[in-house]
Amino acid sequence: MKRSLSSFLLAAIVAVSLLADDVERTPRNDWTENQLRELAWEIHDNCLTLDTHMDVPIVLKRPGFDISKEHSWYEHASQVDFPRMKKGGMDGGFWVVYVGQGPLTHEGRAKAISSGFEIADLIHATVEKNSDLAAIATTPEEANAIRKSGKRVVFIGIENGYTIGRNLDLLKDYYDKGVRYFGVTHSKNNDLADSSTDPEGNLHMGLSDLGRAAVEECNRLGIMVDISHSSDKSAWDILELSKTPVIASHSGCYARYPHPRNLNDALLKEIAARDGVVQMNMFSAYMMDVEPNKERSEAMRAWFEKYRNGDALSEAEQIEATEQYVALQKKYPKPLSTVSAVVDHIDHMVKVMGVDHIGLSGDFDGGGGVKNSMDIGQMMPVTIEMLRRGYTEEDLEKFWGANVMRVLQASIDYAATLREEAAEE
Ligand SMILES: [Zn+2]
């Protein structure tokens, strides 16, 4: 039954009719701000709107944090909660099980594994506690049903393959906990692959054998493989190996700003050719040159040194850490990029990949945000700017959710095909 698998893949590739997008979009220069806002709201009200990368659990761990209450970035250093999602016309998105890269030792891996599952459980406990406001989704169908019920949609993704150590069986456990994308690396190399930003350079020259097996296991289970944070070579290896389209859950364009976290045009094209998506990352430092600010850097470093061992801090110390962080942000405001620059990246992606292959992530609670769009309640400025530049309602429906849901569905369908074949044998 190998034939049906290869024909599945072929169909997926052939389905990508137009890669480069030569569509002439007519800017709505004569529209008033109110007209643009009205249409933006109509679009957000009528389609599934998802942000594919939110580091919510980092904030959920703070003592006393209640996600059912409205917060703000400037007063609480928080960028995601249910009231702001609703106020900003966002249905939800992917919450991320993130574990920072530690040593590649038995002890380091064991710690990463237990932290990862703790975070996944924290996500479930939070959603259960707020079951009147939100529900977990694992398929596009579930997401649409949750949206129709008026609740917020919570998908789960993993950021950093370190969360499974070297134990591939854990991918199934994560799948059972609802995880539907797997970010292979974070800011440093791990056992699976090389990162785009490890100061030590390459360790495996791309994917390791274990990383290859992890990609195959994700395909088998129906988990999307996420190339954000992976080195170019790792990303190419993943693209070549994966039987289903891949995602970049939060990445920008190298052609717009040459940062190793951004994707070059050749990679963008290949992701699109394999029917994947790139979710533009609203992370200011990956979008512009920042004037060095010695005082801010030193203050941030001192804060980090004092509080970095978050799990070992007492409750009072954790509260103090947040208060100090908020005070620091006020004293030394973070240099921010703009919504217009975000849409410049999007324009470039659309030109290179076509409008079927893009989406958005704020990287909120993980360092993301630009001027006038510093939390999940402030996504409307992006839609307004895209409308101003001539994007259609159909474009925006794809951008805000349909594209990434197509990739998720392809992963689910592929896994189902494998299961059917196994049952026939
Ligand atoms: Zn990240």
Side-chain angles (χ1 to χ4, degrees):
M1 289 299 284
K2 276 268 176 320
R3 197 164 49 93
S4 71
L5 279 185
S6 52
S7 60
F8 173 88
L9 193 63
L10 192 66
I13 291 171
V14 171
V16 186
S17 48
L18 272 177
L19 290 185
D21 186 336
D22 298 326
V23 179
E24 277 292 327
R25 295 186 170 83
T26 314
R28 296 177 175 85
N29 291 330
D30 51 342
W31 284 41
T32 65
E33 202 63 24
N34 265 350
Q35 283 176 308
L36 292 168
R37 183 173 301 276
E38 238 169 69
L39 181 55
W41 264 104
E42 204 180 301
I43 292 166
H44 280 247
D45 283 343
N46 290 333
C47 69
L48 184 64
T49 45
L50 302 172
D51 175 321
T52 54
H53 198 91
M54 292 182 270
D55 278 297
V56 195
I58 292 176
V59 175
L60 290 178
K61 284 183 189 168
R62 288 183 194 161
F65 181 82
D66 181 354
I67 197 159
S68 72
K69 301 276 186 310
E70 187 174 340
H71 305 76
S72 80
W73 163 250
Y74 294 98
E75 292 306 321
H76 312 100
S78 147
Q79 295 176 293
V80 178
D81 53 44
F82 295 133
R84 275 181 289 176
M85 282 186 197
K86 196 167 181 183
K87 261 172 105 170
M90 291 298 293
D91 291 315
F94 283 81
W95 291 16
V96 174
V97 174
Y98 158 73
V99 173
Q101 188 59 51
L104 297 177
T105 58
H106 178 73
E107 200 189 12
R109 292 179 190 109
K111 203 172 152 212
I113 291 168
S114 65
S115 303
F117 283 110
E118 264 170 40
I119 295 166
D121 291 342
L122 176 62
I123 294 174
H124 279 275
T126 303
V127 174
E128 260 162 47
K129 197 174 158 201
N130 293 281
S131 58
D132 53 331
L133 298 173
I136 302 268
T138 60
T139 66
E141 211 181 330
E142 286 172 7
N144 281 306
I146 295 166
R147 178 183 168 267
K148 284 203 179 97
S149 75
K151 294 182 188 179
R152 302 303 113 185
V153 177
V154 178
F155 278 106
I156 308 175
I158 282 180
E159 180 172 36
N160 199 357
Y162 192 43
T163 44
I164 61 163
R166 289 198 288 202
N167 184 352
L168 296 182
D169 292 342
L170 299 182
L171 280 168
K172 172 71 165 70
D173 298 337
Y174 273 117
Y175 177 86
D176 291 340
K177 286 188 181 288
V179 167
R180 290 298 178 270
Y181 78 62
F182 181 69
V184 182
T185 58
H186 190 246
S187 53
K188 287 183 182 167
N189 306 331
N190 60 25
D191 290 307
L192 309 180
D194 293 331
S195 159
S196 62
T197 50
D198 194 314
E200 307 274 308
N202 291 313
L203 178 64
H204 312 286
M205 289 309 293
L207 269 181
S208 67
D209 288 344
L210 190 74
R212 300 179 76 81
V215 170
E216 283 167 5
E217 181 65 357
C218 286
N219 286 168
R220 189 185 72 80
L221 292 165
I223 296 176
M224 299 184 284
V225 183
D226 177 10
I227 63 148
S228 286
H229 283 288
S230 285
S231 73
D232 285 0
K233 178 65 168 63
S234 304
W236 280 106
D237 286 353
I238 292 166
L239 278 160
E240 199 174 295
L241 182 66
S242 180
K243 301 285 188 211
T244 58
V246 307
I247 67 164
S249 71
H250 59 310
S251 290
C253 315
Y254 194 86
R256 277 270 150 214
Y257 186 74
H259 189 285
R261 270 288 281 111
N262 292 336
L263 303 170
N264 62 42
D265 284 2
L267 267 172
L268 293 178
K269 276 184 192 147
E270 191 64 18
I271 292 167
R274 291 169 185 269
D275 209 23
V277 290
V278 176
Q279 306 285 117
M280 172 57 200
N281 189 18
M282 300 206 318
F283 197 100
S284 288
Y286 302 157
M287 292 166 59
M288 62 180 203
D289 294 320
V290 176
E291 285 285 317
N293 179 341
K294 216 173 134 207
E295 283 175 326
R296 178 183 154 85
S297 306
E298 273 169 16
M300 290 299 292
R301 199 176 305 124
W303 179 87
F304 185 73
E305 280 302 319
K306 192 168 173 192
Y307 300 113
R308 68 168 152 189
N309 204 356
D311 292 341
L313 299 177
S314 70
E315 203 172 302
E317 285 168 329
Q318 288 184 50
I319 292 167
E320 181 190 275
T322 306
E323 283 170 1
Q324 291 289 318
Y325 186 82
V326 169
L328 266 179
Q329 298 308 319
K330 283 183 182 167
K331 192 166 179 193
Y332 308 107
K334 191 166 148 172
L336 294 175
S337 186
T338 61
V339 168
S340 173
V342 169
V343 183
D344 288 346
H345 278 253
I346 291 166
D347 281 348
H348 183 82
M349 287 182 192
V350 170
K351 208 169 89 196
V352 173
M353 312 174 83
V355 79
D356 291 335
H357 305 286
I358 57 154
L360 195 72
S361 90
D363 211 346
F364 293 137
D365 291 336
V370 298
K371 238 174 259 172
N372 299 324
S373 190
M374 272 310 277
D375 67 31
I376 196 67
Q378 299 178 327
M379 287 303 210
M380 213 52 81
V382 177
T383 304
I384 290 172
E385 181 59 21
M386 288 178 73
L387 286 172
R388 198 191 326 272
R389 296 192 193 188
Y391 286 93
T392 65
E393 289 159 73
E394 197 194 343
D395 292 338
L396 280 151
E397 188 176 333
K398 291 174 178 177
F399 172 80
W400 275 119
N403 287 342
V404 70
M405 289 297 99
R406 180 191 71 238
V407 175
L408 177 57
Q409 192 60 53
S411 302
I412 294 169
D413 291 346
Y414 179 79
T417 312
L418 287 187
R419 279 198 303 273
E420 277 163 29
E421 286 183 7
E424 275 170 28
E425 271 160 19

